[in-house]
Amino acid sequence: MNTRQLVVFVIASIIACSLGSASIQAQENAPNRELNDGSNVLTYRTQYPVDALTSLQQLRLDGFTPSIELGLGSRADRLVNSATLTLNYRYSPAILADISQVNILLNSETIKTISLNADDADTTQTIRVDLPAPLFTDYNRITFELVAQSVNEQCRAPSASTWFEILSGSQLNVNYLQLPVANELAYFPEPFFYRSDFSNVNIPFFLPEQQSTELLTGAGILASYFASETQWRLLDIKPHIYQQKRDLNDQLLTAWGRQHAVVFMTNAQRPAVFKPLPEITQPRVELLDHPLYPQLKVLAVMAPDDAGLIDAAQALAAAAGSLSGAYATFNQFDAEPRAPYAAPNWISTEREVKFSELVNDVSELQRQGVKAPPISVPLRLPPDLFIWQKSGVPLDLEYRYTAPVSNDDSRLLVSINNEFVKSFKLDESGVASGVGELRVPIIDTPILSGNNLELPAFKLGVVNQLQFNFKFSQIGAGCSLQSANSSVGAIDGSSTIDLVGFDHYAQLPDLQLFAKAGYPFSRYDDLSNTLIVLDEKPSLDLLSLFFANIAKMSASTGYPVYNLSVTHVEQVPNNASEDILVLGQSATQQWLARFGDKNLTAQLLGHKLAGQSQLFANPNAVLQNSGPLAALVAFQSPLNPAASVVMQTATSNEHLNMLKERLLSPSDSIQFHGFLSLVSVAGITNYAATQQYFIGDLSFWNQVKYHTAQHPFILVLVVLFAVLVVALGLYRWLRSSAKRKREL
């Protein structure tokens, strides 16, 4: 912690102590009061399960893994006031007492030493450790170091018999003090999202009671910007409705909460607290003080009318990082349509991609220690990557390591999605030795010899983890074993993955592709080929689902949806060529009433679902169930055979939240399959598609080969026909040749 942070901490602590009795612990539904004296102190308490602070599956120390590290990010606008670590643990009965201990360090400073007594061995122990608040910084490392020796050992050789395990239920409790935030757009997207904070992101959006499609389009664009920045964190946009009037006592009616917020307003619609603001003459964004807590900020997205809010949101997303001051004004923004498959997060099929582009920092590609966790490289592939007749994805792998003391069994193990691919022997050279080429298998193939390996293992998915595990052997006898932490392995950032030459072709409907990556809408990362159809009067639950879908797609592509189009059913053109996402029960009913349900009914008939009142009450296939039930359904668009329709609806708007939670959950979203998924309190029920259609850029000849290969009987007929044609041609040629000879 630097001097400035220390001074701020001391001042803030004095304020907190003197005003502790007046500390605000209000919840979202607390009465609203205008506070202009700046005397309120905002505090927050957060609990972090210890196992959530690391990617390790098991928090276990032993002689080969004598230390582990937990990581805790932080927000620059919050100061740690106090922190307590509650630790549940067990340790080995083979540990020698009096000598053995576990040191707990915070940012490299020792905080606590746990003595390991023989009487408490192999029993569950609990200890509470107070962590000094001044030691916390932007990124905090809590380190556990085991210093242990076995009862029967005569030396300090590493041993797996000396273990110390951190048990479930261990947690870190941190109390934060909210610091004042300046009205400065140069830090945007702060204070709404901090890259140094590893927590999931929750941002409240305040909207007027009357929401036009233009206003919702602007709000969706800004939500997508936040989603593209949050990376692996989950983003939840919470919509709220603000009131434009005060009550009879001149108090605010809007529940503004205790968070930094975003508000959308025009000259015609603005919150009561911001009525005194001057008339808006052009699209504008400004950081304003929170109506209740002066430490917090409100980002006001303003325009003379609703259409201008689209320009303001587009320009703000595009200009983030180049803003300065408390406000910025914008002219009309023209977002150029993007090419398909240009998503920054997806591995390009136009060029080789380096591993250094797939991680946040090249330090993530290095590990130290005999039993270090694997190096994990995320691979986001285009959802419609056509892998038929491809033996594998080629990798050009380069790596370095500390050379083994002798020619032992040290190896580099390569896996994908926890499935073993290949191993490389680590010799005395310390480099890849020219054997770094391999292919990640994607279809069932026989095992081949040589540097390129094909395994009958699995098929790559949309989101994958490529894992490299350096396994170092320790050669020696007794006390001469190599030090446990002296072995280092690294994957070079210049290693590449090559998808050049792969085509795009997908069989639809497939809700798995939608739930994982927003496909087919995310083919164009700016959603320039998408129409989102909403109810004319969307509820807060439906708006929450709308923002969740936008966040899901932009988190997958890593790009804001600058060309988002939000509309209602009556505004959809009869010849619309776009992919269409229909949200809400009313919009679903209107869509099916206007455009029919031929393609949907064809799928339902394959499962005998049409006409069953407990699922679909009428030919329009609208959910009419007495209990909570939500549906996600996809089918071919009746307006364009190369486009898709995805509908999301529920028995009531309140039950849309079940669908939203599962779409946002990484573990639940992979459970969606087929053309229809029904979500109830019992889980997710899927129905496979009985009729398929295909989209993509596959050549005509490759389409013929692929589709005939899927139907062997047709292939046999084609071959027989070809043989017949050749035979007839040959017969006619021989007959013609014989006739010419007779004439001679």
Side-chain angles (χ1 to χ4, degrees):
M1 174 173 287
N2 56 36
T3 305
R4 182 180 65 84
Q5 290 175 314
L6 183 60
V7 170
V8 172
F9 172 78
V10 172
I11 295 174
S13 299
I14 294 173
I15 295 174
C17 292
S18 61
L19 299 174
S21 60
S23 179
I24 303 299
Q25 299 294 338
Q27 301 300 318
E28 283 286 314
N29 58 354
N32 289 278
R33 294 180 294 121
E34 293 185 82
L35 306 168
N36 300 317
D37 57 2
S39 62
N40 284 70
V41 176
L42 278 173
T43 60
Y44 308 88
R45 181 179 182 182
T46 307
Q47 292 184 346
Y48 303 94
V50 168
D51 54 7
L53 301 178
T54 178
S55 59
L56 298 175
Q57 295 181 348
Q58 189 177 25
L59 296 174
R60 185 184 181 95
L61 303 168
D62 58 31
F64 296 105
T65 309
S67 66
I68 55 176
E69 186 175 281
L70 310 180
L72 177 66
S74 65
R75 297 172 57 96
D77 65 337
R78 293 182 185 178
L79 197 66
V80 175
N81 201 15
S82 63
T84 302
L85 176 65
T86 302
L87 200 65
N88 302 324
Y89 62 91
R90 294 169 68 97
Y91 55 89
S92 169
I95 285 181
L96 183 62
D98 302 329
I99 297 177
S100 302
Q101 59 189 23
V102 171
N103 297 320
I104 303 177
L105 297 85
L106 174 60
N107 295 329
S108 301
E109 293 197 25
T110 303
I111 304 302
K112 179 71 175 179
T113 297
I114 303 175
S115 299
L116 306 181
N117 302 316
D119 295 339
D120 297 328
D122 202 25
T123 61
T124 300
Q125 302 293 314
T126 301
I127 188 173
R128 288 170 55 90
V129 180
D130 292 329
L131 305 179
L135 293 182
F136 281 85
T137 62
D138 290 343
Y139 177 72
N140 305 284
R141 295 169 289 109
I142 301 176
T143 309
F144 298 90
E145 293 182 346
L146 173 64
V147 181
Q149 185 173 342
S150 176
V151 174
N152 295 323
E153 288 178 357
Q154 301 299 318
C155 60
R156 293 292 305 280
S159 171
S161 64
T162 55
W163 54 265
F164 178 93
E165 185 174 358
I166 300 174
L167 306 177
S168 60
S170 300
Q171 64 181 18
L172 175 65
N173 293 293
V174 184
N175 293 315
Y176 295 99
L177 185 67
Q178 179 67 50
L179 299 176
V181 176
N183 291 334
E184 180 55 70
L185 288 170
Y187 300 109
F188 186 78
E190 299 176 2
F192 307 95
F193 161 67
Y194 288 87
R195 293 179 177 86
S196 59
D197 184 15
F198 303 152
S199 304
N200 293 332
V201 182
N202 183 340
I203 304 176
F205 273 25
F206 284 85
L207 310 172
E209 290 183 282
Q210 303 297 323
Q211 301 119 29
S212 66
T213 56
E214 292 87 355
L215 185 145
L216 293 178
T217 299
I221 292 171
L222 188 53
S224 74
Y225 166 76
F226 286 119
S228 67
E229 293 291 314
T230 53
Q231 298 178 345
W232 43 267
R233 305 165 185 84
L234 295 181
L235 171 67
D236 190 9
I237 300 294
K238 294 285 189 182
H240 302 267
I241 302 299
Y242 61 71
Q243 301 297 321
Q244 301 187 57
K245 298 181 179 180
R246 299 172 182 261
D247 64 12
L248 296 177
N249 296 320
D250 201 34
Q251 296 296 310
L252 297 179
L253 295 173
T254 304
W256 287 99
R258 305 174 66 238
Q259 292 178 265
H260 304 292
V262 177
V263 61
F264 295 83
M265 67 177 79
T266 62
N267 288 327
Q269 297 189 100
R270 63 175 65 184
V273 70
F274 298 126
K275 285 286 186 182
L277 290 177
E279 183 179 0
I280 307 165
T281 58
Q282 64 184 121
R284 172 189 180 103
V285 295
E286 184 172 359
L287 276 177
L288 305 171
D289 288 340
H290 192 279
L292 303 182
Y293 305 103
Q295 304 96 319
L296 302 178
K297 296 302 170 187
V298 170
L299 175 67
V301 182
M302 301 177 282
D305 52 28
D306 289 354
L309 293 175
I310 299 178
D311 292 320
Q314 288 175 329
L316 175 60
S322 60
L323 301 173
S324 181
Y327 69 91
T329 58
F330 307 108
N331 296 319
Q332 184 176 355
F333 186 88
D334 293 323
E336 294 293 331
R338 299 259 293 178
Y341 308 106
N345 283 355
W346 293 359
I347 295 179
S348 174
T349 56
E350 303 295 325
R351 62 178 180 86
E352 293 184 347
V353 177
K354 295 182 178 180
F355 278 25
S356 58
E357 302 175 55
L358 303 177
V359 294
N360 294 322
D361 193 273
V362 292
S363 62
E364 299 176 27
L365 299 176
Q366 179 171 304
R367 291 292 184 269
Q368 179 177 1
V370 175
K371 294 176 64 177
I375 298 170
S376 185
V377 179
L379 298 180
R380 280 189 174 270
L381 303 180
D384 58 358
L385 192 69
F386 189 67
I387 60 176
W388 186 66
Q389 289 190 336
K390 296 286 186 180
S391 58
V393 175
L395 299 180
D396 184 7
L397 186 63
E398 302 291 338
Y399 54 92
R400 317 180 292 279
Y401 54 92
T402 53
V405 176
S406 60
N407 188 14
D408 56 21
D409 197 37
S410 298
R411 294 183 179 275
L412 169 62
L413 306 181
V414 183
S415 304
I416 186 164
N417 302 332
N418 297 317
E419 296 280 352
F420 175 72
V421 175
K422 187 175 182 178
S423 69
F424 297 103
K425 185 176 178 57
L426 305 182
D427 56 25
E428 294 87 348
S429 66
V431 293
S433 302
V435 295
E437 296 182 359
L438 75 153
R439 285 180 175 265
V440 177
I442 52 180
I443 56 175
D444 291 347
T445 56
I447 298 177
L448 303 178
S449 59
N451 293 337
N452 291 341
L453 181 68
E454 312 292 349
L455 291 180
F458 50 84
K459 177 179 175 180
L460 278 177
V462 176
V463 183
N464 306 274
Q465 291 293 327
L466 185 59
Q467 295 133 345
F468 303 94
N469 197 353
F470 285 93
K471 291 291 187 182
F472 295 100
S473 297
Q474 287 199 313
I475 302 298
C479 300
S480 63
L481 290 179
Q482 188 180 356
S483 172
N485 283 329
S486 64
S487 301
V488 180
I491 303 298
D492 198 282
S494 62
S495 301
T496 59
I497 179 171
D498 185 6
L499 295 182
V500 176
F502 283 75
D503 295 313
H504 297 278
Y505 199 61
Q507 175 180 295
L508 297 178
D510 187 354
L511 291 177
Q512 177 72 175
L513 298 181
F514 173 79
K516 280 188 174 182
Y519 187 86
F521 308 99
S522 54
R523 281 186 302 165
Y524 295 83
D525 55 10
D526 61 351
L527 293 194
S528 56
N529 194 53
T530 294
L531 290 179
I532 297 185
V533 181
L534 288 177
D535 292 353
E536 294 182 0
K537 295 181 179 180
S539 65
L540 288 178
D541 294 298
L542 180 55
L543 290 176
S544 182
L545 180 65
F546 164 70
F547 288 126
N549 277 273
I550 295 295
K552 185 82 174 181
M553 296 177 197
S554 290
S556 172
T557 62
Y559 195 78
V561 294
Y562 289 113
N563 287 297
L564 173 67
S565 295
V566 179
T567 187
H568 300 309
V569 172
E570 67 272 11
Q571 298 170 343
V572 177
N574 289 327
N575 60 345
S577 61
E578 296 90 346
D579 297 305
I580 297 173
L581 178 62
V582 183
L583 303 178
Q585 189 182 68
S586 177
T588 300
Q589 291 175 338
Q590 294 174 26
W591 170 274
L592 295 172
R594 178 182 174 187
F595 297 108
D597 61 346
K598 178 181 177 182
N599 293 337
L600 177 57
T601 300
Q603 297 284 3
L604 296 174
L605 286 173
H607 294 278
K608 300 180 180 179
L609 292 175
Q612 292 192 13
S613 59
Q614 67 270 28
L615 291 177
F616 302 98
N618 53 55
N620 288 333
V622 179
L623 283 169
Q624 296 288 335
N625 197 299
S626 61
L629 188 69
L632 177 62
V633 60
F635 52 91
Q636 190 174 23
S637 173
L639 310 180
N640 182 3
S644 302
V645 175
V646 174
M647 291 180 170
Q648 299 176 22
T649 184
T651 50
S652 68
N653 285 327
E654 293 77 11
H655 300 145
L656 291 172
N657 192 52
M658 295 193 309
L659 184 57
K660 186 199 83 168
E661 290 179 350
R662 284 168 171 78
L663 281 175
L664 290 180
S665 169
S667 58
D668 290 343
S669 60
I670 62 175
Q671 299 180 32
F672 291 97
H673 294 280
F675 86 98
L676 171 65
S677 294
L678 298 178
V679 181
S680 67
V681 293
I684 300 175
T685 304
N686 298 302
Y687 295 89
T690 56
Q691 297 185 12
Q692 289 81 30
Y693 60 99
F694 297 82
I695 62 173
D697 57 7
L698 200 61
S699 67
F700 173 78
W701 178 239
N702 284 334
Q703 288 188 47
V704 171
K705 290 194 298 182
Y706 173 71
H707 289 290
T708 54
Q710 308 308 308
H711 302 87
F713 179 73
I714 297 178
L715 182 60
V716 170
L717 293 179
V718 171
V719 171
L720 291 176
F721 178 76
V723 171
L724 180 61
V725 170
V726 172
L728 289 174
L730 182 61
Y731 170 76
R732 294 188 63 180
W733 179 80
L734 291 174
R735 185 178 178 182
S736 176
S737 178
K739 183 178 180 180
R740 286 195 302 268
K741 288 181 179 180
R742 286 195 302 268
E743 291 175 351
L744 292 175

